[in-house]
Amino acid sequence: MATAWDNVLRNQLLDRRERLAAAIGFRDGSERLAALLHEVDMALERFDDGIFGLCDHCKGTIEAERLMADPLVSTCLDCLSTQQKRALEDDLDLAARIQSGLLPKEVKYDGWAVSFRYQPAGPVSGDYCDLLADQSGAGLMFLVGDVSGKGVAASLLMSQLHAIFRSLSPFATAVEDLVHRANRIFCESTLSTHYATLVCGRAGPSGEVMLCNAGHCPPVVVGKNGCITVEPTGLPLGLFCETAYSCHRILLEPGETVAIYTDGLTEAEDAEDREYGMERFQRVLQQSAAATPSELVDACIEDVRNFRGPAAQRDDLTLLLVRRQPVLQ
């Protein structure tokens, strides 16, 4: 019995077939288009025969993330030839370098200090992190997100989110408006099975922070009186094209910090499958609150590493700290 995911992939293949068939004969390189059309037809035949997603060689299951990235895949990783494996490794290395290049460079904004750590669990990541200095002077924009799934498919969607927000940010005056527009584009341009959680914030010169949380982990405000969490204000991106978003308005005092993270931090597991948890995370944030943002990021990441011990990192992890700087006398 076909699953909802199978139906999505089949519809994607049918749409691809229609476009290829229309293009053949009207563009140069029609032989290549005809070869692609044949590959699509073969994939649709595998659907009709009830063997889509099974390896042509060993009849085992093809890795889901590879099918999500390319529904024409017909061989599992174990059955790839040495040459095919080498080509795949080269592609992953290139994808990792491209993704690394999308990470934010140092952004300075008067009155604010920022530090982040980005740790993929594999060669590529579905976590999203970006910083943008608003040229209009309205504030420092910061974003942390997490795309559903893992591996290459998630990394492609992460890159798409990066492009969407970079393109829209000069034109959106309000944070919630920016997220609303980004959600509509993301929803219309991705498969219905994909979504992304996200925190989008803007830190202003007066210490005001606007936080829009689209179904993401609650940011933590580290202040003089301890830690408080900021709950979501809307649904994840990609679920519904028309979704309303709102913001939390927070006024930070000099020296106070906002911590935004992905669930790869709080849900990190040790060798006995125990979770790191929000309580321990907040404890480290409070104990090291006087440290610089860079030192505080290091302290949090080191504590997660010590907790995990010999257990492998199972999920991508991102941590971003935004601190209002003390006023110099």
Side-chain angles (χ1 to χ4, degrees):
M1 183 176 183
T3 66
W5 173 241
D6 288 336
N7 291 331
V8 168
L9 281 179
R10 190 174 190 280
N11 289 335
Q12 184 187 22
L13 287 167
L14 288 170
D15 179 67
R16 188 179 300 188
R17 190 192 189 289
E18 182 178 344
R19 295 185 185 190
L20 285 169
I24 291 176
F26 293 93
R27 300 182 184 180
D28 293 336
S30 58
E31 290 184 3
R32 175 56 184 156
L33 294 179
L36 285 173
L37 180 60
H38 177 69
E39 290 185 44
V40 171
D41 284 338
M42 293 295 290
L44 289 169
E45 282 186 20
R46 291 196 291 273
F47 265 112
D48 294 338
D49 295 338
I51 59 173
F52 181 83
L54 298 182
C55 175
D56 284 349
H57 299 281
C58 69
K59 307 307 177 185
T61 303
I62 298 174
E63 297 76 16
E65 69 177 49
R66 295 179 63 226
L67 284 173
M68 285 189 285
D70 182 5
L72 299 181
V73 170
S74 61
T75 307
C76 70
L77 287 175
D78 290 338
C79 293
L80 292 179
S81 67
T82 301
Q83 183 178 1
Q84 288 173 321
K85 288 180 180 178
R86 187 177 298 115
L88 181 58
E89 290 171 357
D90 290 343
D91 287 345
L92 283 174
D93 287 342
L94 177 59
R97 291 197 298 273
I98 292 172
Q99 195 167 43
S100 177
L102 296 179
L103 291 175
K105 307 300 184 287
E106 182 178 359
V107 175
K108 294 184 178 180
Y109 192 84
D110 289 345
W112 296 92
V114 180
S115 185
F116 75 92
R117 183 71 60 84
Y118 187 86
Q119 287 188 345
V124 290
S125 167
D127 277 7
Y128 167 51
C129 180
D130 206 0
L131 295 166
L132 297 166
D134 194 321
Q135 299 302 315
S136 68
L140 172 69
M141 185 79 70
F142 52 92
L143 303 106
V144 171
D146 187 359
V147 175
S148 60
K150 292 181 174 63
V152 175
S155 72
L156 290 173
L157 293 176
M158 172 270 178
S159 300
Q160 184 178 1
L161 273 182
H162 180 277
I164 290 172
F165 277 99
R166 286 267 171 165
S167 300
L168 292 178
S169 60
F171 307 104
T173 56
V175 174
E176 59 269 32
D177 181 49
L178 173 61
V179 177
H180 172 76
R181 295 186 188 184
N183 170 68
R184 187 173 65 248
I185 295 173
F186 188 71
C187 188
E188 291 175 348
S189 59
T190 58
L191 296 175
S192 60
T193 51
H194 291 317
Y195 63 90
T197 64
L198 176 96
V199 170
C200 179
R202 177 182 283 144
S206 64
E208 180 182 77
V209 175
M210 303 299 293
L211 287 176
C212 181
N213 185 342
H216 196 70
C217 308
V220 180
V221 179
V222 188
K224 299 174 182 177
N225 299 319
C227 295
I228 61 170
T229 56
V230 183
E231 296 303 316
T233 55
L235 295 172
L237 276 63
L239 293 183
F240 302 99
C241 290
E242 290 301 327
T243 299
Y245 292 94
S246 60
C247 283
H248 286 291
R249 177 184 177 276
I250 301 167
L251 186 62
L252 293 188
E253 298 294 331
E256 294 185 333
T257 303
V258 177
I260 307 100
Y261 55 96
T262 58
D263 58 11
L265 189 152
T266 51
E267 295 180 8
E269 295 182 345
D270 64 11
E272 298 179 3
D273 295 333
R274 293 175 298 192
E275 282 193 358
Y276 181 77
M278 177 67 81
E279 183 177 345
R280 179 162 177 163
F281 178 42
Q282 292 189 12
R283 185 164 63 247
V284 177
L285 288 172
Q286 286 184 267
Q287 290 173 347
S288 303
T292 66
S294 179
E295 293 169 342
L296 183 52
V297 166
D298 288 342
C300 292
I301 297 300
E302 181 65 20
D303 193 63
V304 172
R305 186 183 298 114
N306 291 337
F307 170 81
R308 201 170 58 230
Q313 180 181 336
R314 301 178 184 176
D315 197 3
D316 305 320
L317 185 160
T318 299
L319 172 61
L320 172 73
L321 301 181
V322 180
R323 175 177 295 172
R324 186 182 181 189
Q325 293 284 66
V327 179
L328 297 178
Q329 300 296 329

